[in-house]
Amino acid sequence: MPWPRGRVRRKGAARMVADILVGGAVAVAVSWVALLVGLLIVRPQGPLLAEALRILPDLVRLLRRLAGDTTLPRGVRVRLGLLLAYLVVPIDLIPDFVPVLGYADDAILVVAVLRSVVRRAGVGALRRHWPGTPDGFAALCRLTGVRCAGSDHGRGDAGPG
């Protein structure tokens, strides 16, 4: 009596699909944990995270202005564009409905990207485009870890908007 080859193939295919789905789920879970660990490493320390959350609306406007500034290097603008896309997409590492932590991942990513922008473009670019108050700009300087001597920035020199 010959083997029922059709059943064996279907069972083998079903098993392979199940293995692929389980492997994909494990890969997504491991990637998510790795991203959370990365966020913990680059997060602002102490009260700086609360400051980042406080100035987040001004930070988003700053990101939009910086991304549109053609005088900045292309790599900086691409990073800013990708960050803005992440902020707009409703899928986050930590869902926004989780109290405090939901917006913390957004703030941490904004701070990490701004640190890289300051390294490449300088603090002058931030000062030109900052839409908020001088206190907010001072908080931004503390968040990015740069010295912003004389952060007496006023609204009048906020740049294009």
Side-chain angles (χ1 to χ4, degrees):
M1 181 192 262
W3 279 93
R5 292 184 176 218
R7 285 187 186 174
V8 171
R9 285 185 188 154
R10 276 185 249 145
K11 284 184 181 178
R15 173 74 177 173
M16 185 174 75
V17 168
D19 288 346
I20 289 172
L21 290 176
V22 168
V26 168
V28 166
V30 168
S31 298
W32 185 75
V33 169
L35 287 171
L36 284 178
V37 169
L39 283 176
L40 289 174
I41 291 170
V42 300
R43 79 181 187 280
Q45 300 297 320
L48 290 179
L49 184 58
E51 281 189 302
L53 291 172
R54 180 178 61 83
I55 64 171
L56 192 57
D58 287 334
L59 285 174
V60 172
R61 285 194 303 257
L62 174 68
L63 293 174
R64 191 184 80 240
R65 290 177 178 184
L66 287 170
D69 185 353
T70 57
T71 63
L72 295 178
R74 181 179 300 173
V76 169
R77 289 182 289 136
V78 167
R79 257 181 267 154
L80 291 165
L82 290 172
L83 177 61
L84 283 169
Y86 173 80
L87 293 173
V88 170
V89 172
I91 299 171
D92 278 349
L93 292 174
I94 302 170
D96 288 340
F97 62 81
V98 175
V100 180
L101 295 177
Y103 290 104
D105 67 328
D106 295 344
I108 293 168
L109 285 173
V110 167
V111 167
V113 170
L114 281 177
R115 284 179 182 164
S116 72
V117 168
V118 168
R119 281 195 302 271
R120 288 287 314 272
V123 73
L126 297 182
R127 188 181 305 273
R128 266 194 325 270
H129 294 290
W130 179 249
T133 64
D135 289 339
F137 187 74
L140 175 68
C141 291
R142 287 190 297 275
L143 286 169
T144 56
V146 297
R147 294 188 60 140
C148 299
S151 55
D152 56 346
H153 169 73
R155 286 188 163 285
D157 60 350

